[in-house]
C-alpha cells in the first residue's frame, strides 16, 4: 500500500547525466511539475510501470501503479525501467560500446535506487522485509 506521506525525490545517475525519480500515483506526478499544463497522466500507457523522459532527457520519471504483484515482480518491473534509463544515459554520454562491467554497475546503481524509492513509498517502509537469521 502506498504511503500517503511519500514525496518523490530526485536521484542522479552515475556520472550525473540524468536525474530520475519514482511516482506511484497522479498526486506524485503533479508534485513534479511547476506548470500544471505540463503534467502527464500517470501510467498513460496503461501498463503497470513505465518511464517518461523530460527536459532533453535530463529527467526521467518512473511510474509504477498499485498492483497485485509480488515484491519480486515489482523489482523486475523497476529493473526493466532502470535499463531504459541506462539506455538513454548511454546515448547522452556518447557511449557506443560501454564495457560490460560499466553497464552492469550502472544499471545496478539505478535499479537499487528505484528499489529504495519503492520501499520508501510503501506504508510499511519502516519494516525490514528481508529475511534474517
Amino acid at each position: 500500500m502506498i504511503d500517503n506521506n511519500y514525496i518523490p525525490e530526485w536521484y542522479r545517475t552515475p556520472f550525473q547525466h540524468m536525474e530520475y525519480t519514482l511516482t506511484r500515483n497522479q498526486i506524485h506526478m503533479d508534485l513534479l511539475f511547476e506548470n500544471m499544463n505540463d503534467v502527464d497522466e500517470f501510467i498513460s500507457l496503461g501498463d503497470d510501470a513505465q518511464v517518461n523522459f523530460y527536459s532533453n532527457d535530463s529527467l526521467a520519471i518512473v511510474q509504477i501503479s498499485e498492483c497485485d504483484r509480488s515484491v519480486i515482480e515489482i523489482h523486475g518491473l523497476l529493473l526493466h525501467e532502470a535499463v531504459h534509463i541506462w539506455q538513454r544515459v548511454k546515448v547522452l554520454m556518447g557511449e557506443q560500446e560501454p564495457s560490460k562491467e560499466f553497464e552492469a554497475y550502472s544499471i545496478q546503481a539505478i535499479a537499487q535506487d528505484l528499489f529504495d524509492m519503492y520501499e520508501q513509498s510503501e506504508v510499511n517502509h519502516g519494516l525490514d522485509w528481508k529475511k534474517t537469521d
Side-chain angles (χ1 to χ4, degrees):
M1 179 182 280
I2 300 170
D3 184 344
N4 291 331
N5 296 317
Y6 172 73
I7 298 173
E9 293 184 38
W10 292 101
Y11 287 62
R12 287 192 171 277
T13 56
F15 304 102
Q16 315 296 313
H17 286 85
M18 182 186 295
E19 290 182 286
Y20 53 97
T21 193
L22 178 75
T23 61
R24 301 288 308 277
N25 56 36
Q26 188 64 50
I27 294 168
H28 297 151
M29 290 292 288
D30 295 347
L31 289 171
L32 298 174
F33 291 86
E34 289 181 24
N35 184 343
M36 293 306 287
N37 293 325
D38 295 336
V39 176
D40 284 336
E41 179 184 348
F42 179 73
I43 301 289
S44 61
L45 300 177
D47 298 325
D48 287 337
Q50 71 183 59
V51 62
N52 290 46
F53 298 92
Y54 302 91
S55 300
N56 296 321
D57 290 343
S58 66
L59 300 174
I61 300 175
V62 174
Q63 303 159 55
I64 188 162
S65 63
E66 188 76 22
C67 56
D68 292 327
R69 290 182 179 258
S70 70
V71 172
I72 297 297
E73 291 172 310
I74 295 294
H75 284 170
L77 291 171
L78 294 173
L79 177 59
H80 177 100
E81 302 309 334
V83 170
H84 286 310
I85 291 171
W86 165 248
Q87 290 166 338
R88 292 282 177 108
V89 168
K90 187 171 78 167
V91 170
L92 290 171
M93 293 177 76
E95 285 287 334
Q96 299 286 331
E97 294 285 329
S99 75
K100 296 202 182 305
E101 283 301 298
F102 177 53
E103 185 170 54
Y105 279 120
S106 296
I107 293 169
Q108 177 184 350
I110 295 165
Q112 285 176 322
D113 287 345
L114 291 174
F115 298 164
D116 182 55
M117 285 185 259
Y118 182 82
E119 181 69 17
Q120 291 304 313
S121 73
E122 286 286 284
V123 168
N124 64 350
H125 66 83
L127 302 176
D128 185 6
W129 55 269
K130 299 174 213 153
K131 290 183 180 179
T132 58
D133 294 332

